[in-house]
Amino acid sequence: MTSVAVVVQARVGSSRFPSKMLAPLADRPLIDWVLGRVGRSARAGTLVLATTTDPADDALADRAAGTAFAVVRGSADDVLGRYVAALDARPADLVVRVCADNPFVAPEEIDRLVDAFDPARHDYACNHQSRLGSDYADGFGAEILAAATLRDLAARATAPAHREHVTSYVWDHADRYRIHALPAPAGLAYPGVRLDVDTPGQLASLDAFARRAGIGIATPATEIVAAYLRHAG
């Protein structure tokens, strides 16, 4: 049976939004939203929080304590290296990448991505944002690749940007990889909707939205989008 590791990358340090992952969204730290929602995935055989060795990120490791997430720590800049370390610590056939700036990441969309991924036809697939006409709202999905492909990226990618952004090497060498972007289901086919957090202002907006619409850890992605279209703005 194919094994799946879902790896969440997160760190406290951020030039645009320091301590973002510990900032509150509807009275819960952002990292709790991400871990809580990802942890509901039915297809995840292994859950890993990949953070850094910076002492400031002890706080993130502490948030993972008592959950199903293993914690792997590595370089702040070499995020791709952290994924390899996660795979070394928790071997799996497939690796799902989740960025922790997506507080509403949807376990049902992670599962849909895993189910749609066929290593015989795909090297890489995604449903985390609108790519190649997939029309996804931004912030609900993830990226997936075979463990062998991840290790191939780690061997080939030497530029700092490729080490930091993990899968950017795939997109910069798209002729080398078989890329698949899942088409969005009707309820998530709103490419203009962005629900990620890069700045304090974006978090403040999502906080107000989540409180007004009653969004919680278990709220499905389609309900979040429907509420956003009704309440945001």
Side-chain angles (χ1 to χ4, degrees), residues 4-12 21 30-41 44 46-52 57 60-61 63-64 67-75 79-80 82-87 90 95-103 105-107 110 141-143 166:
V4 180
V6 180
V7 182
V8 175
Q9 65 183 70
R11 66 188 181 100
V12 168
M21 298 315 307
L30 201 64
I31 188 64
D32 285 14
W33 280 84
V34 178
L35 299 184
R37 290 180 67 82
V38 171
R40 298 172 67 87
S41 167
T46 300
L47 298 166
V48 180
L49 171 64
T51 189
T52 84
D57 286 324
L60 298 184
R63 300 305 301 184
T67 74
F69 280 80
V71 178
V72 171
R73 306 181 72 161
S75 167
V79 187
L80 178 54
R82 272 191 260 156
Y83 274 80
V84 173
L87 190 59
R90 296 290 190 273
V95 182
V96 175
R97 178 194 180 209
V98 174
C99 292
D101 55 3
N102 296 322
V105 58
I110 291 174
E143 302 170 280
V166 185

Side-chain angles (χ1 to χ4, degrees), residues 4-229:
V4 180
V6 180
V7 182
V8 175
Q9 65 183 70
R11 66 188 181 100
V12 168
S14 170
S15 58
R16 285 186 293 181
F17 191 170
S19 298
K20 172 174 69 177
M21 298 315 307
L22 299 174
L25 172 64
D27 299 322
R28 301 186 67 166
L30 201 64
I31 188 64
D32 285 14
W33 280 84
V34 178
L35 299 184
R37 290 180 67 82
V38 171
R40 298 172 67 87
S41 167
R43 295 291 183 263
T46 300
L47 298 166
V48 180
L49 171 64
T51 189
T52 84
T53 54
D54 188 322
D57 286 324
D58 291 350
L60 298 184
D62 290 344
R63 300 305 301 184
T67 74
F69 280 80
V71 178
V72 171
R73 306 181 72 161
S75 167
D77 299 320
D78 184 6
V79 187
L80 178 54
R82 272 191 260 156
Y83 274 80
V84 173
L87 190 59
D88 288 342
R90 296 290 190 273
D93 300 312
L94 304 179
V95 182
V96 175
R97 178 194 180 209
V98 174
C99 292
D101 55 3
N102 296 322
F104 300 143
V105 58
E108 66 272 22
E109 291 307 309
I110 291 174
D111 293 343
R112 187 168 176 264
L113 179 66
V114 172
D115 288 341
F117 185 73
D118 180 359
R121 296 186 298 129
H122 312 138
D123 294 312
Y124 164 95
C126 63
N127 64 349
H128 61 314
Q129 57 184 298
S130 183
R131 288 270 195 166
L132 303 179
S134 68
D135 285 338
Y136 257 96
D138 188 7
F140 292 108
E143 302 170 280
I144 188 171
L145 59 170
T149 305
L150 179 71
R151 294 189 184 279
D152 176 71
L153 290 183
R156 294 176 182 273
T158 57
H162 289 148
R163 304 298 301 189
E164 180 182 359
H165 298 293
V166 185
T167 58
S168 62
Y169 187 92
V170 171
W171 291 99
D172 288 346
H173 298 82
D175 58 328
R176 183 177 294 163
Y177 298 97
R178 299 168 298 173
I179 297 173
H180 177 56
L182 271 68
L188 298 181
Y190 293 90
V193 172
R194 294 181 56 89
L195 296 172
D196 55 350
V197 175
D198 286 324
T199 67
Q202 288 172 334
L203 180 58
S205 295
L206 287 191
D207 178 68
F209 159 63
R211 292 174 184 277
R212 193 161 59 238
I215 303 300
I217 295 292
T219 306
T222 52
E223 292 184 18
I224 293 174
V225 168
Y228 183 86
L229 296 174

